[in-house]
Amino acid sequence: MTVTENPTHTARPLPGGPVAEAVFAEITARVAALRAAGVVPSLATILVGDDPASAGYIRMKQERAAELGFASPHIHLSATATPADLLWAIGAYNRDPDVHAILVQHPTPPQLDYAETILAIDPAKDVDGLHPENLGRLAAGLPGPVPCTPAGIEALLAFHEIPVAGRDVVVLGRGTTLGRPLSLLLSQKRATADAAVTVVHSGVPGWERHTRRADIVVAAVGVPGIVRPEHLRPGAVAIGGGVRYEGRRLLPDLDESCATVAGAITPRVGGVGPTTVAMLFRNAVELAERQTGLPAA
Ligand SMILES: NC(=O)c1ccc[n+]([C@@H]2O[C@H](COP(=O)([O-])OP(=O)(O)OC[C@H]3O[C@@H](n4cnc5c(N)ncnc54)[C@H](OP(=O)(O)O)[C@@H]3O)[C@@H](O)[C@H]2O)c1
């Protein structure tokens, strides 16, 4: 145990479930407005290969799509699919006016370059917000789909009334899906952002000198247990975005003992994950509204 740990202290939990439910309620109203105008919003998915975890994610997203009133066409390519096969599938969805949002389940088999895959998606249908045009829009502060996990983290902090504006946020990790876009998002001029954001990564030896002074630490790495109590200022808010799966076991970046030091913390299960799914559908409904010229409900 370190000097900062207090075994009798337990941080306030910051569950993502209620955040997601609030977003789903908003989406339901927007889907109803689209349907009333004769538009069925559509989130199309592509799965390459037979990885059970990926197939499970697709199934879960299709079930949620059905609950929310989305159409969810699906293309399943074999594990030996070529880049041309995948480009064909993406092209078919790009050209289909009834498809408003496209998701290619990640990871794809090694013969397929994921960066090239994202480039092939029509930016107007890029539900993950990872096309360089949409990341550029995020950097420029222009409207467009925002990567789902960063958007979910901003919503989670807002929902739980954690002040962000003017505070020190340290993001551990500069990856394209999480750390990098989150740093852009939380430094935007907006009541739920407006933070002083520092990004640290494997190129910053002794990154803990930054996390130790932060009001909010976001772990966005994918190295189980990389953030420990001694990396946090007592009372700081700890957000666990990074995870690694070993089989079905979810191994988070935040060591469980962080709860003995943090003031508030996302739970091991049911923290950032549910907000990511909610933001996926929020992006999807927004893309449908933009493409059809129908305003939000
Ligand atoms: N909860 C969700 O729904 C959700 C959604 C998306 C992603 N994720 C998770 O979020 C994590 C990050 O995703 P990503 O796509 O952004 O990953 P990524 O591209 O692999 O980025 C990982 C980042 O962590 C840094 N890093 C790795 N080892 C480190 C170390 N020992 N010390 C300090 N920094 C280190 C890397 O530094 P370098 O840049 O120097 O290599 C990199 O910036 C993953 O675990 C992913 O599974 C979760």
Short mmCIF file of all heavy atoms in Angstrom, two decimals, residues 193-240:
data_model
loop_
_atom_site.label_atom_id
_atom_site.label_comp_id
_atom_site.label_asym_id
_atom_site.label_seq_id
_atom_site.Cartn_x
_atom_site.Cartn_y
_atom_site.Cartn_z
N ALA A 193 -16.89 20.92 -21.60
CA ALA A 193 -15.49 20.64 -21.97
C ALA A 193 -14.62 21.76 -21.39
O ALA A 193 -14.51 21.88 -20.18
CB ALA A 193 -15.36 20.54 -23.49
N ASP A 194 -13.97 22.54 -22.28
CA ASP A 194 -13.24 23.73 -21.81
C ASP A 194 -12.13 23.42 -20.80
O ASP A 194 -11.83 24.23 -19.91
CB ASP A 194 -14.23 24.73 -21.17
CG ASP A 194 -14.38 25.99 -22.02
OD1 ASP A 194 -13.46 26.30 -22.81
OD2 ASP A 194 -15.42 26.66 -21.90
N ALA A 195 -11.53 22.22 -20.91
CA ALA A 195 -10.54 21.80 -19.92
C ALA A 195 -9.12 22.13 -20.38
O ALA A 195 -8.87 22.36 -21.56
CB ALA A 195 -10.65 20.30 -19.68
N ALA A 196 -8.19 22.13 -19.43
CA ALA A 196 -6.75 22.17 -19.74
C ALA A 196 -6.33 20.72 -19.90
O ALA A 196 -6.23 19.99 -18.91
CB ALA A 196 -5.99 22.82 -18.61
N VAL A 197 -6.14 20.28 -21.15
CA VAL A 197 -5.91 18.85 -21.40
C VAL A 197 -4.43 18.58 -21.68
O VAL A 197 -3.81 19.26 -22.50
CB VAL A 197 -6.75 18.35 -22.60
CG1 VAL A 197 -6.55 16.85 -22.80
CG2 VAL A 197 -8.23 18.67 -22.40
N THR A 198 -3.90 17.59 -21.00
CA THR A 198 -2.53 17.11 -21.26
C THR A 198 -2.63 15.68 -21.75
O THR A 198 -3.41 14.89 -21.17
CB THR A 198 -1.70 17.14 -19.95
OG1 THR A 198 -1.73 18.46 -19.41
CG2 THR A 198 -0.25 16.72 -20.19
N VAL A 199 -1.89 15.35 -22.79
CA VAL A 199 -1.88 13.97 -23.29
C VAL A 199 -0.51 13.36 -23.01
O VAL A 199 0.51 13.94 -23.39
CB VAL A 199 -2.17 13.92 -24.81
CG1 VAL A 199 -2.27 12.48 -25.28
CG2 VAL A 199 -3.44 14.68 -25.14
N VAL A 200 -0.48 12.22 -22.33
CA VAL A 200 0.78 11.51 -22.09
C VAL A 200 0.66 10.11 -22.67
O VAL A 200 -0.44 9.62 -22.94
CB VAL A 200 1.15 11.47 -20.59
CG1 VAL A 200 1.46 12.86 -20.08
CG2 VAL A 200 0.05 10.83 -19.76
N HIS A 201 1.81 9.48 -22.92
CA HIS A 201 1.84 8.23 -23.69
C HIS A 201 3.18 7.55 -23.46
O HIS A 201 3.96 7.98 -22.59
CB HIS A 201 1.62 8.56 -25.18
CG HIS A 201 2.33 9.79 -25.60
ND1 HIS A 201 3.68 9.83 -25.78
CD2 HIS A 201 1.87 11.06 -25.79
CE1 HIS A 201 4.04 11.06 -26.11
NE2 HIS A 201 2.95 11.83 -26.10
N SER A 202 3.48 6.53 -24.28
CA SER A 202 4.70 5.76 -24.02
C SER A 202 5.96 6.57 -24.30
O SER A 202 7.05 6.18 -23.89
CB SER A 202 4.70 4.48 -24.87
OG SER A 202 4.84 4.80 -26.23
N GLY A 203 5.82 7.71 -24.95
CA GLY A 203 6.98 8.57 -25.21
C GLY A 203 7.26 9.54 -24.07
O GLY A 203 8.14 10.40 -24.20
N VAL A 204 6.49 9.43 -22.98
CA VAL A 204 6.68 10.34 -21.83
C VAL A 204 7.08 9.51 -20.61
O VAL A 204 6.21 9.08 -19.83
CB VAL A 204 5.39 11.15 -21.54
CG1 VAL A 204 5.61 12.11 -20.37
CG2 VAL A 204 4.93 11.91 -22.76
N PRO A 205 8.40 9.27 -20.42
CA PRO A 205 8.79 8.52 -19.22
C PRO A 205 8.38 9.31 -17.98
O PRO A 205 8.45 10.54 -17.98
CB PRO A 205 10.33 8.44 -19.35
CG PRO A 205 10.66 8.87 -20.73
CD PRO A 205 9.53 9.72 -21.23
N GLY A 206 7.92 8.61 -16.98
CA GLY A 206 7.48 9.30 -15.75
C GLY A 206 6.19 10.08 -15.96
O GLY A 206 5.98 11.13 -15.35
N TRP A 207 5.28 9.52 -16.79
CA TRP A 207 4.02 10.23 -17.06
C TRP A 207 3.20 10.47 -15.79
O TRP A 207 2.35 11.33 -15.72
CB TRP A 207 3.18 9.52 -18.12
CG TRP A 207 2.99 8.03 -17.92
CD1 TRP A 207 3.63 7.05 -18.59
CD2 TRP A 207 2.10 7.37 -17.00
NE1 TRP A 207 3.21 5.81 -18.15
CE2 TRP A 207 2.27 5.98 -17.18
CE3 TRP A 207 1.18 7.81 -16.05
CZ2 TRP A 207 1.56 5.04 -16.43
CZ3 TRP A 207 0.48 6.88 -15.31
CH2 TRP A 207 0.67 5.51 -15.50
N GLU A 208 3.54 9.68 -14.72
CA GLU A 208 2.75 9.82 -13.49
C GLU A 208 2.91 11.20 -12.84
O GLU A 208 2.05 11.62 -12.08
CB GLU A 208 3.07 8.69 -12.49
CG GLU A 208 4.52 8.57 -12.10
CD GLU A 208 5.31 7.65 -13.04
OE1 GLU A 208 4.87 7.44 -14.20
OE2 GLU A 208 6.38 7.17 -12.63
N ARG A 209 3.98 11.93 -13.18
CA ARG A 209 4.08 13.28 -12.61
C ARG A 209 2.97 14.17 -13.16
O ARG A 209 2.58 15.16 -12.54
CB ARG A 209 5.47 13.88 -12.87
CG ARG A 209 5.77 14.28 -14.29
CD ARG A 209 7.21 14.78 -14.45
NE ARG A 209 7.47 15.28 -15.79
CZ ARG A 209 7.79 14.52 -16.83
NH1 ARG A 209 7.87 13.22 -16.68
NH2 ARG A 209 8.02 15.05 -18.01
N HIS A 210 2.45 13.82 -14.31
CA HIS A 210 1.31 14.57 -14.88
C HIS A 210 -0.01 14.08 -14.28
O HIS A 210 -0.85 14.88 -13.86
CB HIS A 210 1.27 14.42 -16.40
CG HIS A 210 2.46 15.01 -17.08
ND1 HIS A 210 2.59 16.36 -17.31
CD2 HIS A 210 3.61 14.44 -17.54
CE1 HIS A 210 3.75 16.60 -17.90
NE2 HIS A 210 4.38 15.45 -18.05
N THR A 211 -0.20 12.74 -14.25
CA THR A 211 -1.48 12.24 -13.73
C THR A 211 -1.65 12.59 -12.25
O THR A 211 -2.77 12.83 -11.80
CB THR A 211 -1.60 10.70 -13.92
OG1 THR A 211 -0.49 10.06 -13.29
CG2 THR A 211 -1.64 10.33 -15.39
N ARG A 212 -0.54 12.68 -11.51
CA ARG A 212 -0.63 12.94 -10.07
C ARG A 212 -1.12 14.35 -9.74
O ARG A 212 -1.54 14.62 -8.62
CB ARG A 212 0.73 12.73 -9.41
CG ARG A 212 0.84 11.37 -8.77
CD ARG A 212 2.04 11.33 -7.84
NE ARG A 212 2.82 10.14 -8.10
CZ ARG A 212 4.08 10.13 -8.49
NH1 ARG A 212 4.74 11.26 -8.66
NH2 ARG A 212 4.69 9.00 -8.69
N ARG A 213 -1.05 15.24 -10.69
CA ARG A 213 -1.55 16.60 -10.41
C ARG A 213 -2.92 16.84 -11.06
O ARG A 213 -3.51 17.91 -10.96
CB ARG A 213 -0.55 17.66 -10.90
CG ARG A 213 -0.34 17.63 -12.38
CD ARG A 213 0.19 18.92 -12.99
NE ARG A 213 0.45 18.73 -14.42
CZ ARG A 213 -0.49 18.66 -15.34
NH1 ARG A 213 -1.77 18.77 -15.01
NH2 ARG A 213 -0.17 18.48 -16.60
N ALA A 214 -3.46 15.82 -11.75
CA ALA A 214 -4.70 16.04 -12.53
C ALA A 214 -5.95 16.01 -11.66
O ALA A 214 -6.01 15.29 -10.66
CB ALA A 214 -4.80 14.96 -13.60
N ASP A 215 -6.95 16.79 -12.07
CA ASP A 215 -8.27 16.69 -11.45
C ASP A 215 -9.00 15.46 -11.98
O ASP A 215 -9.77 14.82 -11.27
CB ASP A 215 -9.10 17.94 -11.78
CG ASP A 215 -8.45 19.21 -11.26
OD1 ASP A 215 -8.13 19.24 -10.05
OD2 ASP A 215 -8.25 20.16 -12.05
N ILE A 216 -8.78 15.19 -13.28
CA ILE A 216 -9.44 14.06 -13.94
C ILE A 216 -8.38 13.29 -14.73
O ILE A 216 -7.63 13.89 -15.51
CB ILE A 216 -10.55 14.55 -14.91
CG1 ILE A 216 -11.61 15.36 -14.14
CG2 ILE A 216 -11.19 13.38 -15.66
CD1 ILE A 216 -12.64 16.07 -15.03
N VAL A 217 -8.30 12.00 -14.51
CA VAL A 217 -7.37 11.15 -15.27
C VAL A 217 -8.19 10.19 -16.12
O VAL A 217 -9.10 9.51 -15.61
CB VAL A 217 -6.45 10.34 -14.33
CG1 VAL A 217 -5.59 9.35 -15.12
CG2 VAL A 217 -5.56 11.29 -13.52
N VAL A 218 -7.91 10.15 -17.41
CA VAL A 218 -8.58 9.19 -18.28
C VAL A 218 -7.54 8.19 -18.78
O VAL A 218 -6.55 8.57 -19.41
CB VAL A 218 -9.25 9.88 -19.49
CG1 VAL A 218 -9.99 8.83 -20.34
CG2 VAL A 218 -10.20 10.98 -19.05
N ALA A 219 -7.77 6.92 -18.48
CA ALA A 219 -6.86 5.86 -18.93
C ALA A 219 -7.35 5.37 -20.29
O ALA A 219 -8.48 4.90 -20.42
CB ALA A 219 -6.86 4.72 -17.92
N ALA A 220 -6.51 5.50 -21.31
CA ALA A 220 -6.90 5.19 -22.69
C ALA A 220 -5.78 4.40 -23.35
O ALA A 220 -5.31 4.75 -24.44
CB ALA A 220 -7.18 6.49 -23.45
N VAL A 221 -5.37 3.32 -22.70
CA VAL A 221 -4.16 2.63 -23.12
C VAL A 221 -4.42 1.21 -23.64
O VAL A 221 -4.03 0.85 -24.76
CB VAL A 221 -3.14 2.57 -21.94
CG1 VAL A 221 -1.86 1.87 -22.37
CG2 VAL A 221 -2.83 3.97 -21.45
N GLY A 222 -5.05 0.38 -22.82
CA GLY A 222 -5.19 -1.03 -23.17
C GLY A 222 -4.11 -1.89 -22.52
O GLY A 222 -3.80 -2.96 -23.01
N VAL A 223 -3.54 -1.38 -21.40
CA VAL A 223 -2.58 -2.16 -20.62
C VAL A 223 -3.21 -2.38 -19.24
O VAL A 223 -3.33 -1.43 -18.45
CB VAL A 223 -1.22 -1.44 -20.48
CG1 VAL A 223 -0.30 -2.19 -19.52
CG2 VAL A 223 -0.56 -1.28 -21.85
N PRO A 224 -3.66 -3.60 -18.95
CA PRO A 224 -4.39 -3.84 -17.70
C PRO A 224 -3.63 -3.36 -16.46
O PRO A 224 -2.44 -3.64 -16.32
CB PRO A 224 -4.57 -5.37 -17.68
CG PRO A 224 -4.54 -5.75 -19.13
CD PRO A 224 -3.57 -4.81 -19.79
N GLY A 225 -4.35 -2.60 -15.61
CA GLY A 225 -3.79 -2.17 -14.33
C GLY A 225 -2.69 -1.13 -14.43
O GLY A 225 -1.98 -0.87 -13.45
N ILE A 226 -2.56 -0.47 -15.60
CA ILE A 226 -1.45 0.50 -15.76
C ILE A 226 -1.61 1.70 -14.82
O ILE A 226 -0.62 2.27 -14.36
CB ILE A 226 -1.30 0.94 -17.23
CG1 ILE A 226 0.00 1.74 -17.39
CG2 ILE A 226 -2.51 1.71 -17.74
CD1 ILE A 226 0.39 2.01 -18.84
N VAL A 227 -2.86 2.06 -14.51
CA VAL A 227 -3.06 3.19 -13.58
C VAL A 227 -3.33 2.63 -12.19
O VAL A 227 -4.28 1.87 -11.98
CB VAL A 227 -4.22 4.09 -14.05
CG1 VAL A 227 -4.48 5.21 -13.04
CG2 VAL A 227 -3.91 4.69 -15.42
N ARG A 228 -2.47 3.05 -11.27
CA ARG A 228 -2.56 2.55 -9.90
C ARG A 228 -2.78 3.73 -8.94
O ARG A 228 -2.64 4.89 -9.34
CB ARG A 228 -1.26 1.81 -9.55
CG ARG A 228 -1.02 0.57 -10.42
CD ARG A 228 0.08 -0.32 -9.87
NE ARG A 228 0.04 -0.41 -8.41
CZ ARG A 228 -0.79 -1.20 -7.72
NH1 ARG A 228 -1.63 -1.99 -8.36
NH2 ARG A 228 -0.77 -1.20 -6.41
N PRO A 229 -3.14 3.44 -7.68
CA PRO A 229 -3.45 4.54 -6.74
C PRO A 229 -2.35 5.59 -6.66
O PRO A 229 -2.64 6.79 -6.57
CB PRO A 229 -3.62 3.82 -5.40
CG PRO A 229 -4.00 2.42 -5.76
CD PRO A 229 -3.34 2.11 -7.06
N GLU A 230 -1.08 5.15 -6.71
CA GLU A 230 0.01 6.13 -6.56
C GLU A 230 0.14 7.06 -7.76
O GLU A 230 0.92 8.01 -7.75
CB GLU A 230 1.34 5.41 -6.28
CG GLU A 230 1.81 4.44 -7.34
CD GLU A 230 1.33 3.00 -7.09
OE1 GLU A 230 0.23 2.82 -6.50
OE2 GLU A 230 2.05 2.06 -7.49
N HIS A 231 -0.62 6.80 -8.82
CA HIS A 231 -0.60 7.68 -9.99
C HIS A 231 -1.68 8.76 -9.91
O HIS A 231 -1.81 9.58 -10.83
CB HIS A 231 -0.82 6.86 -11.28
CG HIS A 231 0.21 5.80 -11.49
ND1 HIS A 231 -0.07 4.56 -12.03
CD2 HIS A 231 1.53 5.78 -11.17
CE1 HIS A 231 1.03 3.83 -12.07
NE2 HIS A 231 2.02 4.55 -11.55
N LEU A 232 -2.48 8.73 -8.84
CA LEU A 232 -3.61 9.65 -8.72
C LEU A 232 -3.43 10.59 -7.54
O LEU A 232 -2.87 10.20 -6.51
CB LEU A 232 -4.91 8.87 -8.52
CG LEU A 232 -5.31 7.88 -9.60
CD1 LEU A 232 -6.55 7.11 -9.15
CD2 LEU A 232 -5.58 8.60 -10.92
N ARG A 233 -3.97 11.79 -7.70
CA ARG A 233 -4.06 12.71 -6.57
C ARG A 233 -5.28 12.28 -5.76
O ARG A 233 -6.32 11.96 -6.34
CB ARG A 233 -4.27 14.13 -7.14
CG ARG A 233 -4.35 15.23 -6.12
CD ARG A 233 -4.49 16.59 -6.80
NE ARG A 233 -5.68 16.75 -7.62
CZ ARG A 233 -6.93 16.83 -7.15
NH1 ARG A 233 -7.16 16.73 -5.85
NH2 ARG A 233 -7.94 17.00 -7.96
N PRO A 234 -5.19 12.23 -4.42
CA PRO A 234 -6.36 11.84 -3.63
C PRO A 234 -7.56 12.73 -3.99
O PRO A 234 -7.43 13.96 -4.06
CB PRO A 234 -5.92 12.06 -2.18
CG PRO A 234 -4.42 11.87 -2.24
CD PRO A 234 -4.00 12.44 -3.57
N GLY A 235 -8.69 12.10 -4.25
CA GLY A 235 -9.90 12.84 -4.61
C GLY A 235 -10.08 13.05 -6.10
O GLY A 235 -11.13 13.53 -6.54
N ALA A 236 -9.09 12.67 -6.91
CA ALA A 236 -9.21 12.88 -8.35
C ALA A 236 -10.28 11.97 -8.95
O ALA A 236 -10.65 10.95 -8.35
CB ALA A 236 -7.87 12.59 -9.03
N VAL A 237 -10.76 12.35 -10.11
CA VAL A 237 -11.74 11.54 -10.84
C VAL A 237 -10.98 10.62 -11.79
O VAL A 237 -10.12 11.09 -12.55
CB VAL A 237 -12.72 12.45 -11.62
CG1 VAL A 237 -13.65 11.62 -12.49
CG2 VAL A 237 -13.50 13.33 -10.65
N ALA A 238 -11.27 9.32 -11.74
CA ALA A 238 -10.56 8.36 -12.58
C ALA A 238 -11.53 7.71 -13.56
O ALA A 238 -12.54 7.13 -13.14
CB ALA A 238 -9.89 7.30 -11.71
N ILE A 239 -11.24 7.85 -14.85
CA ILE A 239 -12.11 7.30 -15.89
C ILE A 239 -11.35 6.21 -16.63
O ILE A 239 -10.26 6.45 -17.18
CB ILE A 239 -12.52 8.40 -16.91
CG1 ILE A 239 -13.16 9.60 -16.20
CG2 ILE A 239 -13.44 7.83 -17.99
CD1 ILE A 239 -14.50 9.35 -15.57
N GLY A 240 -11.91 5.02 -16.65
CA GLY A 240 -11.26 3.88 -17.32
C GLY A 240 -11.84 3.67 -18.70
O GLY A 240 -12.94 3.15 -18.84
#
